[in-house]
Short mmCIF file of all heavy atoms in Angstrom, two decimals:
data_model
loop_
_atom_site.label_atom_id
_atom_site.label_comp_id
_atom_site.label_asym_id
_atom_site.label_seq_id
_atom_site.Cartn_x
_atom_site.Cartn_y
_atom_site.Cartn_z
N ALA A 292 19.57 2.59 7.38
CA ALA A 292 20.90 2.12 7.20
C ALA A 292 20.99 1.13 5.94
O ALA A 292 22.07 1.14 5.32
CB ALA A 292 21.33 1.38 8.39
N ASN A 293 19.89 0.48 5.58
CA ASN A 293 19.90 -0.49 4.52
C ASN A 293 19.55 0.16 3.16
O ASN A 293 19.45 -0.49 2.09
CB ASN A 293 19.06 -1.69 4.80
CG ASN A 293 17.52 -1.39 4.87
OD1 ASN A 293 17.22 -0.10 4.73
ND2 ASN A 293 16.73 -2.23 4.97
N GLY A 294 19.34 1.53 3.16
CA GLY A 294 19.05 2.29 1.95
C GLY A 294 17.48 2.41 1.77
O GLY A 294 17.14 3.21 0.86
N ASP A 295 16.74 1.88 2.51
CA ASP A 295 15.16 2.10 2.45
C ASP A 295 14.95 3.55 2.78
O ASP A 295 15.70 4.12 3.54
CB ASP A 295 14.49 1.12 3.37
CG ASP A 295 14.45 -0.32 2.96
OD1 ASP A 295 14.89 -0.61 1.79
OD2 ASP A 295 14.02 -1.12 3.88
N ILE A 296 13.86 4.02 2.21
CA ILE A 296 13.56 5.47 2.36
C ILE A 296 12.04 5.65 2.76
O ILE A 296 11.20 5.05 2.20
CB ILE A 296 13.81 6.29 0.98
CG1 ILE A 296 15.30 6.28 0.68
CG2 ILE A 296 13.30 7.70 1.12
CD1 ILE A 296 15.62 6.79 -0.64
N VAL A 297 11.87 6.50 3.73
CA VAL A 297 10.54 6.94 4.04
C VAL A 297 10.50 8.47 3.68
O VAL A 297 11.39 9.21 4.17
CB VAL A 297 10.15 6.74 5.55
CG1 VAL A 297 8.81 7.38 5.87
CG2 VAL A 297 10.12 5.35 5.84
N ASP A 298 9.59 8.88 2.72
CA ASP A 298 9.50 10.19 2.34
C ASP A 298 8.21 10.77 2.66
O ASP A 298 7.16 10.25 2.50
CB ASP A 298 9.73 10.18 0.78
CG ASP A 298 9.84 11.55 0.18
OD1 ASP A 298 10.89 12.20 0.41
OD2 ASP A 298 8.85 11.99 -0.44
N VAL A 299 8.25 12.15 3.14
CA VAL A 299 6.99 12.83 3.41
C VAL A 299 6.98 14.10 2.50
O VAL A 299 8.04 14.87 2.52
CB VAL A 299 6.94 13.32 4.89
CG1 VAL A 299 5.66 14.09 5.09
CG2 VAL A 299 6.97 12.12 5.77
N GLY A 300 5.95 14.29 1.73
CA GLY A 300 5.91 15.47 0.89
C GLY A 300 4.43 16.00 0.81
O GLY A 300 3.50 15.42 1.37
N TRP A 301 4.37 17.18 0.14
CA TRP A 301 3.13 17.92 0.06
C TRP A 301 2.77 17.84 -1.42
O TRP A 301 3.58 18.46 -2.19
CB TRP A 301 3.16 19.24 0.66
CG TRP A 301 1.92 20.07 0.72
CD1 TRP A 301 1.48 20.82 -0.26
CD2 TRP A 301 0.89 19.97 1.71
NE1 TRP A 301 0.21 21.40 0.04
CE2 TRP A 301 -0.14 20.82 1.29
CE3 TRP A 301 0.77 19.29 2.90
CZ2 TRP A 301 -1.30 21.00 2.09
CZ3 TRP A 301 -0.34 19.48 3.65
CH2 TRP A 301 -1.39 20.34 3.29
N TYR A 302 1.58 17.41 -1.79
CA TYR A 302 1.25 17.26 -3.23
C TYR A 302 -0.12 17.81 -3.45
O TYR A 302 -0.98 17.41 -2.78
CB TYR A 302 1.41 15.84 -3.68
CG TYR A 302 2.70 15.28 -3.59
CD1 TYR A 302 3.24 14.67 -2.44
CD2 TYR A 302 3.67 15.38 -4.69
CE1 TYR A 302 4.50 14.18 -2.32
CE2 TYR A 302 4.90 14.89 -4.52
CZ TYR A 302 5.41 14.30 -3.35
OH TYR A 302 6.68 13.86 -3.29
N PRO A 303 -0.38 18.69 -4.44
CA PRO A 303 0.68 19.30 -5.25
C PRO A 303 1.36 20.32 -4.38
O PRO A 303 0.86 20.86 -3.53
CB PRO A 303 -0.05 19.91 -6.42
CG PRO A 303 -1.51 20.09 -5.93
CD PRO A 303 -1.73 18.99 -4.98
N ALA A 304 2.65 20.42 -4.64
CA ALA A 304 3.47 21.44 -4.02
C ALA A 304 2.99 22.83 -4.08
O ALA A 304 2.43 23.31 -5.05
CB ALA A 304 4.95 21.38 -4.59
N TRP A 305 3.15 23.52 -2.90
CA TRP A 305 2.83 24.92 -2.77
C TRP A 305 1.32 25.24 -3.15
O TRP A 305 1.01 26.25 -3.59
CB TRP A 305 3.70 25.82 -3.59
CG TRP A 305 5.14 25.56 -3.20
CD1 TRP A 305 5.75 25.81 -2.06
CD2 TRP A 305 6.13 24.80 -3.94
NE1 TRP A 305 7.06 25.40 -2.06
CE2 TRP A 305 7.29 24.75 -3.20
CE3 TRP A 305 6.07 24.24 -5.17
CZ2 TRP A 305 8.42 24.09 -3.69
CZ3 TRP A 305 7.20 23.55 -5.72
CH2 TRP A 305 8.30 23.49 -4.90
N ASN A 306 0.47 24.29 -2.76
CA ASN A 306 -1.02 24.42 -3.03
C ASN A 306 -1.81 24.31 -1.67
O ASN A 306 -1.68 23.24 -1.12
CB ASN A 306 -1.42 23.41 -4.01
CG ASN A 306 -2.89 23.57 -4.44
OD1 ASN A 306 -3.79 23.87 -3.64
ND2 ASN A 306 -3.21 23.30 -5.72
N GLU A 307 -2.50 25.28 -1.31
CA GLU A 307 -3.26 25.15 0.02
C GLU A 307 -4.21 23.90 -0.01
O GLU A 307 -4.46 23.37 1.02
CB GLU A 307 -4.12 26.40 0.24
CG GLU A 307 -3.32 27.63 0.64
CD GLU A 307 -4.19 28.76 1.00
OE1 GLU A 307 -5.21 28.60 1.74
OE2 GLU A 307 -4.01 29.86 0.51
N GLN A 308 -4.57 23.53 -1.16
CA GLN A 308 -5.56 22.39 -1.22
C GLN A 308 -4.82 21.04 -1.28
O GLN A 308 -5.46 19.98 -1.38
CB GLN A 308 -6.48 22.46 -2.48
CG GLN A 308 -7.21 23.78 -2.51
CD GLN A 308 -8.00 24.02 -1.27
OE1 GLN A 308 -8.67 23.17 -0.72
NE2 GLN A 308 -7.83 25.27 -0.69
N GLY A 309 -3.54 21.06 -1.21
CA GLY A 309 -2.69 19.80 -1.30
C GLY A 309 -2.90 18.89 -0.08
O GLY A 309 -3.68 19.22 0.82
N ARG A 310 -2.15 17.75 -0.16
CA ARG A 310 -2.29 16.84 0.90
C ARG A 310 -0.89 16.28 1.23
O ARG A 310 -0.05 16.27 0.30
CB ARG A 310 -3.10 15.57 0.45
CG ARG A 310 -4.53 15.83 0.10
CD ARG A 310 -5.54 15.62 1.23
NE ARG A 310 -5.27 14.57 2.13
CZ ARG A 310 -6.12 13.66 2.42
NH1 ARG A 310 -7.26 13.52 1.71
NH2 ARG A 310 -5.80 12.76 3.33
N LEU A 311 -0.69 15.84 2.41
CA LEU A 311 0.51 15.12 2.74
C LEU A 311 0.52 13.78 2.10
O LEU A 311 -0.53 13.20 1.96
CB LEU A 311 0.60 14.96 4.33
CG LEU A 311 0.86 16.17 5.23
CD1 LEU A 311 0.71 15.74 6.62
CD2 LEU A 311 2.28 16.63 5.01
N ARG A 312 1.73 13.36 1.81
CA ARG A 312 1.88 12.03 1.31
C ARG A 312 3.05 11.42 1.97
O ARG A 312 4.17 11.95 1.98
CB ARG A 312 1.92 12.00 -0.23
CG ARG A 312 2.01 10.60 -0.78
CD ARG A 312 1.95 10.56 -2.31
NE ARG A 312 3.03 11.11 -2.90
CZ ARG A 312 3.25 11.25 -4.25
NH1 ARG A 312 2.31 10.68 -4.96
NH2 ARG A 312 4.29 11.71 -4.74
N VAL A 313 2.88 10.11 2.44
CA VAL A 313 4.00 9.42 3.01
C VAL A 313 4.19 8.13 2.22
O VAL A 313 3.19 7.42 2.00
CB VAL A 313 3.65 9.04 4.55
CG1 VAL A 313 4.73 8.16 5.14
CG2 VAL A 313 3.32 10.24 5.37
N VAL A 314 5.44 8.05 1.82
CA VAL A 314 5.82 6.91 0.92
C VAL A 314 7.04 6.10 1.49
O VAL A 314 7.98 6.78 1.96
CB VAL A 314 6.15 7.40 -0.51
CG1 VAL A 314 6.53 6.25 -1.52
CG2 VAL A 314 5.04 8.18 -1.08
N ALA A 315 7.02 4.86 1.39
CA ALA A 315 8.13 3.97 1.76
C ALA A 315 8.67 3.28 0.48
O ALA A 315 7.84 2.72 -0.23
CB ALA A 315 7.70 2.94 2.80
N VAL A 316 9.99 3.47 0.24
CA VAL A 316 10.54 2.93 -0.91
C VAL A 316 11.78 2.05 -0.60
O VAL A 316 12.59 2.29 0.29
CB VAL A 316 11.09 4.16 -1.79
CG1 VAL A 316 11.86 3.69 -2.98
CG2 VAL A 316 9.98 5.08 -2.18
N ARG A 317 11.77 0.97 -1.32
CA ARG A 317 12.93 0.00 -1.22
C ARG A 317 13.72 -0.07 -2.43
O ARG A 317 13.13 -0.03 -3.56
CB ARG A 317 12.35 -1.33 -0.88
CG ARG A 317 13.47 -2.44 -1.00
CD ARG A 317 13.25 -3.62 -0.20
NE ARG A 317 13.50 -3.21 1.25
CZ ARG A 317 13.06 -3.85 2.30
NH1 ARG A 317 12.28 -4.87 2.16
NH2 ARG A 317 13.42 -3.43 3.42
#
């Protein structure tokens, strides 16, 4: 509600050897 963001992505994208990444941004 305050605009903070929690983002989950896969890096590098579309790569079997990639990893999940969880980031919190203010």
Side-chain angles (χ1 to χ4, degrees):
N293 66 356
D295 290 347
I296 296 171
V297 175
D298 185 76
V299 179
W301 186 265
Y302 297 89
W305 305 289
N306 183 324
E307 285 186 49
Q308 305 307 314
R310 300 269 322 238
L311 285 170
R312 183 168 67 177
V313 177
V314 179
V316 176
R317 168 152 287 158

